[in-house]
Amino acid sequence: MSVPAAIAPAPANPALPYLPLTRPTIDEETIAGVCEVLRSGWITSGPNVKALEGKLSEYFGGRPVRVFNSGTCTMEIALRIAGIGAGHEVITTPLSWVATSNVILEVGATPVFVDIDPVTRNLDLNLVEGAITPATRAIIPVDLAGLPVDRDRLYAIAKKHNLRVVEDAAQSMGTTWNGKRIGAFGDFVSVSFHPNKNITTIEGGCLVMNTEAEAKLAEQYRLQGVVRSGFDGMEVEVVGGKFNLTDVAARVGLGQLPRLQEFNDRRRELARAYFAAFAARDAKALGLGLPVEDLTQSNWHMFQVVLPSGLKRAEVMAALHAAGIGAGVHYPAIHLFAIYRRLGWNPGDFPIAEAVCRSILTLPLFPTMSGADVARVVEALVGIVKGRV
Ligand SMILES: *Cc1c(COP(=O)(O)O)cnc(C)c1O
């Protein structure tokens, strides 16, 4: 990657390896377990899928859980189970992975964005009621970076207006709200097991539901709508897709779930180290926006800063890259993507989200990182910002 000379920093210390944005932790026991599955003769959905669903259901307080091959189809299927489609509106945030609103379009409904809270960077619950119309059927909140949306206020609004909730908890596995585990209460809860998330099945996700009837329907939407009975019975009553998780992937998940707490504890320690290092360098005086210092509820899926508004993010990323440090953008504002612009959204529609999305930057954070890695990132970033403001 070439960096313009004007912004090229001192050459990276060749003794330091490249520090990636994130990295999954897969232990040898899990790798051996995957080999066993591969040798077993049953590699697609089977006993490991069932076992993972059982463990996840236990984890989520006994609620019905099904696993899928992404944390995107989970949300699409939740909307289908809720009967949401053409003519319906679904309220969500413009600051998320584009999957969050793509699934609304996918089922034929209309996304309705509301702006974000500049402090939490999650959808601003103060704006939700003003966006409700007679066509509104659901809300999809997102716990960005693992910081929980206020569930008490969210469900008070949903109840008052008789709306379904599909929690996009893709990033908040292991997060809690007032002592209660995200997913163990509420309406639909969708989690992703993408490799960047706090636990992984390589690709995959799960949907937590309310009733066995919903879970049965989820199974139909997961695999071509098929319902089998007896030795040779087969019926198809809904148009389902091809969203089943393989047993190989499920075996990875079975090795990951018991380590979730340990991974999240480590992430929290590293977040604490980030806050201490940024405070020591007086980062706030430099205009760096830090995340909410939630060291109890968040699972610290990401540590995201908002750069001072005059700085060009791409230049900062290039300088970090040159210093051997990976960084990421999560995310560009959804309503400004071409397909959403064609549907009528424009720059200026959600000014807070747009400002944050222009300058938000995700720093490395994963369980096998060291405290020295955190110090290195903060030194590099503060140096880069100081050189430019
Ligand atoms: C990762 C993610 C998804 C989608 O999950 P996949 O498993 O990649 O389909 C959806 N929403 C958010 C907020 C995410 O971070």
Side-chain angles (χ1 to χ4, degrees):
M1 172 171 187
S2 80
V3 179
I7 62 157
N13 180 346
L16 292 175
Y18 193 82
L19 179 66
L21 175 64
T22 187
R23 188 172 209 284
T25 305
I26 311 284
D27 53 45
E28 290 304 319
E29 189 275 334
T30 303
I31 293 170
V34 165
C35 292
E36 250 175 68
V37 174
L38 287 171
R39 292 191 187 101
S40 72
W42 195 291
I43 56 177
T44 189
S45 310
N48 282 282
V49 161
K50 277 262 183 287
L52 180 58
E53 288 176 340
K55 292 286 181 200
L56 286 166
S57 175
E58 237 172 72
Y59 182 81
F60 291 121
R63 302 182 70 198
V65 180
R66 294 296 181 272
V67 295
F68 301 82
N69 60 16
S70 77
T72 299
C73 68
T74 42
M75 293 190 284
E76 181 188 325
I77 288 170
L79 291 171
R80 292 195 193 283
I81 293 171
I84 294 167
H88 299 153
E89 294 175 1
V90 179
I91 295 172
T92 192
T93 169
L95 199 188
S96 183
W97 175 227
V98 67
T100 308
S101 58
N102 278 352
V103 295
I104 302 170
L105 295 176
E106 192 64 41
V107 301
T110 304
V112 173
F113 297 107
V114 298
D115 211 341
I116 62 164
D117 175 318
V119 175
T120 65
R121 305 165 186 164
N122 286 330
L123 97 170
D124 186 345
L125 291 173
N126 292 318
L127 302 176
V128 169
E129 287 198 275
I132 294 172
T133 75
T136 309
R137 291 293 179 278
I139 308 171
I140 306 187
V142 177
D143 303 316
L144 189 73
L147 184 72
V149 170
D150 180 335
R151 295 302 197 272
D152 298 327
R153 289 195 63 200
L154 171 71
Y155 280 101
I157 295 167
K159 189 168 177 210
K160 180 173 164 197
H161 297 275
N162 197 25
L163 303 176
R164 298 302 301 261
V165 175
V166 179
E167 297 181 22
D168 184 349
Q171 302 184 0
S172 46
M173 185 77 184
T175 291
T176 58
W177 174 256
N178 282 345
K180 289 177 295 181
R181 188 172 275 172
I182 294 301
F185 65 100
D187 196 352
F188 293 109
V189 182
S190 165
V191 180
S192 168
F193 301 135
H194 180 273
N196 286 358
K197 303 294 159 55
N198 291 28
I199 58 170
T200 186
T201 59
I202 307 176
E203 297 287 353
C206 75
L207 182 64
V208 188
M209 291 160 281
N210 302 289
T211 63
E212 285 304 324
E214 286 177 353
K216 281 276 163 274
L217 203 44
E219 288 177 12
Q220 294 173 42
Y221 283 120
R222 181 168 65 180
L223 199 72
Q224 313 294 359
V226 164
V227 179
R228 293 174 185 276
S229 56
F231 272 97
D232 64 349
M234 190 187 292
E235 189 51 270
V236 178
E237 280 172 354
V238 301
V239 182
K242 173 67 179 171
F243 301 125
N244 57 303
L245 192 74
T246 70
D247 252 28
V248 175
R251 181 61 187 84
V252 175
L254 283 166
Q256 291 270 291
L257 185 58
R259 302 197 60 187
L260 174 65
Q261 180 74 44
E262 166 204 339
F263 290 163
N264 286 356
D265 287 349
R266 179 66 187 150
R267 284 174 175 274
R268 205 167 284 126
E269 270 176 33
L270 293 165
R272 195 187 301 277
Y274 264 122
F275 283 113
F278 275 125
R281 297 301 305 265
D282 208 5
K284 279 185 188 157
L286 284 176
L288 267 179
L290 298 182
V292 175
E293 196 167 343
D294 176 341
L295 296 168
T296 54
Q297 304 201 114
S298 174
N299 67 358
W300 288 98
H301 169 59
M302 296 189 284
F303 194 100
Q304 298 181 287
V305 296
V306 175
L307 298 172
S309 56
L311 285 193
K312 288 206 170 64
R313 180 172 54 197
E315 290 185 2
V316 173
M317 291 176 78
L320 282 171
H321 180 77
I325 296 168
V329 175
H330 305 92
Y331 299 92
I334 293 174
H335 66 287
L336 299 181
F337 286 129
I339 61 164
Y340 290 88
R341 296 273 290 266
R342 284 202 293 272
L343 291 169
W345 283 280
N346 289 298
D349 285 347
F350 307 105
I352 298 171
E354 287 168 31
V356 171
C357 291
R358 259 195 306 277
S359 299
I360 199 164
L361 186 69
T362 309
L363 303 179
L365 179 58
F366 53 93
T368 52
M369 242 174 97
S370 67
D373 291 329
V374 170
R376 178 183 165 199
V377 174
V378 171
E379 284 311 300
L381 181 63
V382 167
I384 291 161
V385 171
K386 272 196 171 153
R388 285 176 176 71
V389 288

